[in-house]
C-alpha cells in the first residue's frame, strides 16, 4: 500500500498516475476532498481509499502495518499568502507529525520541499545540508519549507529512509485548478486562446530585462520519475534538489507555448503585482550533482519538448494525466 498526500492536487495526482502506470494500484489518497474542483484529477485512477487529511493519522494508527511507502506531497503552496499560522499548521507541524509517524511505524518517506527555500539565491542553489540554517526565504511559504528541512536533519530519530525534495518550478498536466499559482505555460495558453497575446511580468530588477527572468522549469513527468527512483532506491537519505539544472527565461516559456499552438508570438509586459514584487525570485537553477551522485541517470525533458507535449496532448484537448 502506497500513501500519497496532496493526492488531488497537481503533483500528487500525477504521482498517483505514475504509480498506477507502474502497476501500483493499492494507493491510498490523502487530501482535503471538499475542494471539488480538484477531484477530477483523480477520476479514473486505481485507488484503494480516500482519507481526509485531518483523519489521516488516526487512519495510519490502524493500518500502518500495510503501508509500504509515503509520498508526502500535500502543502499550502500559495507564495502570496502572508498568514504564518496557516503554514505552521499545514506545512510545518503536519509534516513533523508525518515524520514522527514514519519513525514510529518504520515507513520510508519522500516529502516535498521547495526551491523557495533559497530566497534570493545569494548563497547559490546547492542542496548541501550544511547550508540549510543559512538560507533566507523571501516569503512565509518558503520559510515553512526551510523550517521543516532544518528540523528534519536535526532529528536524532529518522525514518530508515527519507528524502526531502526541493521542487523547482514544476509544470505539466492537472494544474487546471491552481488559478494564480498555475505555471506560466498554463497562463500563456489561456491568454492566447482568449486574446491571441500573452502578458508577462515586467522586470523590476535592473539586472534583468523584461521577460529575461530565469527559473529552472521541470516537467512533472520528470519529477515523478525521480520519486519512483527514490521509492525503489531507499538509500542515501537526505535533502535533494529537483530541477533540471538549466535555468530558462520566461520568454522561452511563452515563445514555446505559442510555437506549440502554431501561433505567431504576441507578448506584452505588465507590472509584477505589488504583493509579490519584493519577494520575487529572478533566478533559480538547481545544482543536480547530489541526486546524480546516488545513481539517478535519466535525462530531464527539454523545455521545448515538455511544453509541446503539455500543450498539444493535455491543454488543447483539456485532458488529464
Amino acid at each position: 500500500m502506497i500513501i500519497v498526500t496532496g493526492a488531488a492536487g497537481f503533483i500528487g495526482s500525477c504521482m498517483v498516475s505514475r504509480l498506477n502506470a507502474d502497476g501500483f494500484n493499492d494507493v491510498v489518497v490523502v487530501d482535503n476532498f471538499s475542494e471539488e474542483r480538484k477531484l477530477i484529477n483523480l477520476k479514473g485512477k486505481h485507488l484503494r481509499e480516500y482519507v481526509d487529511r485531518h483523519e489521516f493519522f488516526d487512519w495510519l494508527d490502524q493500518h500502518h502495518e500495510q503501508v509500504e511507502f509515503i509520498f508526502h506531497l500535500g502543502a499550502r503552496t500559495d507564495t502570496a499568502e502572508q498568514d504564518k499560522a496557516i503554514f505552521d499548521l499545514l506545512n510545518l507541524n503536519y509534516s513533523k507529525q508525518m515524520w514522527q509517524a514514519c519513525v514510529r511505524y518504520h515507513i520510508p518517506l519522500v516529502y516535498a520541499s521547495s526551491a523557495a527555500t533559497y530566497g534570493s539565491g545569494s548563497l547559490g542553489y546547492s542542496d548541501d545540508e550544511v547550508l540549510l540554517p543559512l538560507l533566507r526565504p523571501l516569503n512565509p511559504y518558503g520559510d515553512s519549507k526551510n523550517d521543516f528541512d532544518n528540523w528534519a536533519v536535526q532529528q536524532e530519530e529518522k525514518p530508515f529512509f527519507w528524502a526531502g525534495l526541493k521542487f523547482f518550478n514544476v509544470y505539466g498536466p492537472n494544474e487546471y485548478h491552481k488559478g494564480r499559482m498555475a505555471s506560466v505555460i498554463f497562463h500563456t495558453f489561456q491568454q492566447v486562446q482568449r486574446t491571441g497575446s500573452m502578458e508577462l511580468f515586467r522586470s523590476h530588477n535592473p539586472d534583468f530585462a523584461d521577460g529575461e527572468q530565469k527559473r529552472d522549469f521541470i516537467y512533472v513527468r520528470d519529477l515523478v520519475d525521480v520519486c519512483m527512483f527514490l521509492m525503489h532506491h531507499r538509500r542515501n537519505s537526505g535533502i535533494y534538489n529537483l530541477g533540471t539544472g538549466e535555468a530558462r527565461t520566461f520568454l522561452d516559456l511563452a515563445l514555446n507555448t505559442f510555437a506549440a499552438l502554431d501561433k505567431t508570438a504576441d507578448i506584452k509586459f505588465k507590472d509584477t503585482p505589488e504583493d509579490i514584487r519584493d519577494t520575487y525570485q529572478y533566478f533559480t537553477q538547481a545544482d543536480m550533482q547530489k541526486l546524480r551522485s546516488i545513481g539517478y541517470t535519466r535525462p530531464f525533458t527539454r523545455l521545448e519538448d515538455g511544453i509541446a507535449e503539455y500543450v498539444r496532448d493535455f491543454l488543447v484537448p483539456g485532458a488529464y494525466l
Side-chain angles (χ1 to χ4, degrees), residues 24 27 54 71 77 108 129 164 184 233 258 284 287-288 310 317 321:
F24 294 92
V27 179
H54 297 299
F71 292 103
T77 59
E129 290 161 22
V184 173
H233 185 72
F258 276 101
T284 66
D287 180 340
M288 295 302 298
Y310 179 29
L321 181 62

Side-chain angles (χ1 to χ4, degrees), residues 174-223:
N174 298 15
E175 60 171 338
Y176 298 102
H177 65 282
K178 287 179 65 68
R180 183 183 181 186
M181 291 298 147
S183 71
V184 173
I185 300 156
F186 178 83
H187 287 298
T188 300
F189 173 80
Q190 296 287 333
Q191 286 191 36
V192 171
Q193 294 295 79
R194 287 196 313 270
T195 70
S197 65
M198 173 59 185
E199 288 186 323
L200 293 176
F201 288 154
R202 182 173 289 114
S203 173
H204 300 272
N205 182 328
D207 294 333
F208 293 85
D210 292 343
E212 295 294 328
Q213 304 96 316
K214 283 188 171 184
R215 299 275 182 89
D216 191 334
F217 299 99
I218 181 167
Y219 195 27
V220 71
R221 287 191 187 274
D222 292 337
L223 184 150

Side-chain angles (χ1 to χ4, degrees), residues 32-86:
N32 171 15
F33 296 108
S34 65
E35 297 185 48
E36 292 188 11
R37 64 199 175 122
K38 297 197 301 184
L39 294 183
I40 193 170
N41 283 342
L42 294 175
K43 186 176 181 181
K45 293 176 172 57
H46 299 285
L47 306 172
R48 165 76 171 262
E49 192 172 348
Y50 289 75
V51 179
D52 184 271
R53 71 182 182 208
H54 297 299
E55 300 170 1
F56 172 68
F57 294 109
D58 290 336
W59 180 94
L60 187 62
D61 288 339
Q62 299 175 37
H63 299 90
H64 61 89
E65 292 182 353
Q66 299 168 267
V67 177
E68 179 184 349
F69 205 94
I70 294 179
F71 292 103
H72 178 36
L73 307 179
R76 176 61 65 88
T77 59
D78 187 345
T79 57
E81 174 63 64
Q82 296 300 310
D83 187 348
K84 182 177 183 295
I86 291 175

Side-chain angles (χ1 to χ4, degrees), residues 5-21:
T5 74
F10 162 39
I11 296 172
S13 61
C14 291
M15 187 74 242
V16 174
S17 285
R18 177 57 192 274
L19 286 164
N20 284 174

Side-chain angles (χ1 to χ4, degrees), residues 29 78 115 123 142 169 176 199 207 230 232 242 264 266 280 321:
V29 293
D78 187 345
L123 295 177
N169 282 69
Y176 298 102
E199 288 186 323
D207 294 333
L230 291 169
H232 295 297
L242 186 41
T264 302
D266 181 5
Y280 190 81
L321 181 62

